[in-house]
Each structure stands twice: as structure tokens, then as C-alpha cells.
Amino acid sequence: MLIGIDWGGTKIEAVALGEDGAVLARRRVPTPRDDYDACIAAASGLVRAIERSLGSAGTVGIGIPGAISPATGLVKNANSVWLNGRKLDDDLARALGRPVRIENDANCFALSEAIDGAGADARVVWAVILGTGAGSGIAVDQKVLVGPHRIAGEWGHNPLPWPRDDERPGPACFCGQHGCLETFISGTGLAADHSRRTGAAITAEEIVRLMRVGDGAARASYDLYLDRLARGMAHVIQILDPDVIVLGGGMSGVDELYRDLPERIAPWVFSDVFVTPVRKNRHGASSGVRGAAWLGAEAARSS
Ligand SMILES: [Zn+2]
């Protein structure tokens, strides 16, 4: 049995999967915000409750909105800031009496879609999350590509490629740079760009709704969004040349992207043809927690 935990800012969710990917149990609790010890107790409590209800023990994998620093062994880059600087894997392993595997939530998303999701037939899966922020994870042969700094796929903080004059230096990003892709291609970035150009402070969802009913300003914002996303993707495609691109996050619900993106990416790719499919994720909001569970199987396969 494979148990996965998705550690979000508002809820901690756990799922137990059978070896075939079937969901055996699912539980969630609100995240005890700003209370690290209570978070450890909540996560280990979920695992124990699942194991009691099913009468068996499982491996445990966790997806977090951050990463374990290879330099210090401590959590870094988490927007649930009370996790930063903590030895989360050790503390949870102690609470549960077994090793736990921790990965960035984008990597969990990639693993989930690579194992039995929209990229299950592909060798190299580039899983792109376009939500409040923008990031990605890469799975190769159904394993997460991690790297020595644990930042593989942190594409949201690459600059917007082939920038036009009015895109330089670009909006300030929380990471300290200007013009990071995230400030353009996240759902938040789309809303901010629309607001800068029109003065209308509306959400990305509302912009898409207006675009669909023929609003010219919303159409222009969507078109710019598409153009920037295509440039950003082409840049990575030229390095990774993935077999499939899977979209996740709030913007992945915009069905027009799957029709419009390939033809907008193609002119930027240094190739006579561009055939990489851009697909919607299969497991939706469950992909993060499913990928966390699959970390257990990955550990077993590689040991
Ligand atoms: Zn940045």
C-alpha cells in the first residue's frame, strides 16, 4: 500500500493507493497554520488513521510546496513559511517510525501524470503547473528528475524569452528578479497584466469568461498570455524535447489552450515540425497527492 500526503497551505490531504493505483482511502484535515508541531501531528495522524481503517501499513511519500535543501537538509522555498528551516523528513519519519520521501509538489504532479495519467505512454513528461504561481516538474521513465540543487523544473523563475521592448525589464518577482515567467504566465500573472493594460482588476477566470463572450480587451490579454506561454515553453522544449507536455493548475482548465498552444509554440521551436502533444492532466486536483504516494513505489524500484 502506498500512502501519499499533499501538504497544502489550507489542508493536508492523505490518500492510500493500491499497487494498481486504485484509491483505497482518502482523508484530509485543515492545515494547522503557523504551528509546525501540530502539522507533524496532523500528517502522522492521517497516516495512522488510514492504516487503522485498512488494517495494513504502507510506504509514505509527501508533496510539499517547497524542497529539502541538499546543503542543509532543511525545507526551503515553501510558501507555508513555518515549514522553512525545518527537518521535515526526519521529524515525520520519527513520528511515523519509518522513512518518508519528500518531494516538491510539482514533481509529485509530474510523477502522477507519468505513472498513470496523461503522460503514461511517454518517456519524458514535462508537467507544467499554471496556477497562483508557475512551475513544473519533469519525469523520465516514470521517475522524478531531481538534480543536485533539487530545482529541476523551477521554470517559473526563468526570464520570459525573446522579450519585446515593452516586456523589459518586466514586473518585479518575489524571488528578487524582474520579468520572471511566473509574473506573466501564472493565472495571477494574466490577471496582473490585464489590470496593467486595462485598469480592470479581475481574475484570470473572469478574463477567460469575457474572452469567450467576445470581449476585445479580454481577447487581447488572452492572446498575449498565449504568446508569452508559447515562448516560455519553446525555450524549454529546445533543451528537454519532452515526449508530452501535461498542464496542471487553475489555467489547465482553459480548454482553448490545448487547441491554441501547439500552433503558437511551433514558430519558436528550432525544428521543421513541432509534434509534441500538450495535454490536460488526468487526475486533476488529486494528482499531487497521488504522485506523493507513488514516491513510495519509486523508492522501492530504485533500491
Ligand atoms: Zn522570480
Side-chain angles (χ1 to χ4, degrees), residues 156-157 173 175 180:
H157 301 281
C173 181
C175 75
C180 289

Side-chain angles (χ1 to χ4, degrees), residues 102-239:
I102 298 189
E103 273 299 339
N104 175 267
D105 46 13
N107 290 353
C108 292
F109 169 58
L111 187 60
S112 166
E113 294 297 326
I115 287 183
D116 65 352
D121 57 344
R123 243 203 102 198
V124 178
V125 177
W126 185 31
V128 172
I129 298 182
L130 304 168
T132 313
S136 75
I138 300 159
V140 180
D141 292 331
Q142 301 189 325
K143 287 184 180 176
V144 173
L145 186 71
V146 179
H149 307 98
R150 298 183 177 267
I151 55 167
E154 285 288 3
W155 164 68
H157 301 281
N158 282 11
L160 177 70
W162 299 287
R164 291 185 294 264
D165 287 345
D166 63 353
E167 293 171 332
R168 275 191 296 252
C173 181
F174 78 90
C175 75
Q177 303 285 359
H178 278 79
C180 289
L181 271 170
E182 177 166 290
T183 67
F184 291 106
I185 64 166
S186 60
T188 320
L190 167 59
D193 184 67
H194 184 79
S195 169
R196 276 192 299 274
R197 291 184 314 99
T198 66
I202 56 175
T203 62
E205 208 170 17
E206 184 69 2
I207 294 165
V208 171
R209 191 191 67 76
L210 289 171
M211 178 267 289
R212 285 175 178 156
V213 298
D215 180 275
R219 165 60 63 182
S221 291
Y222 171 76
D223 203 62
L224 261 174
Y225 176 83
L226 202 57
D227 174 52
R228 290 164 173 164
L229 182 56
R231 277 183 271 158
M233 285 185 154
H235 203 231
V236 173
I237 289 162
Q238 261 151 215
I239 297 166

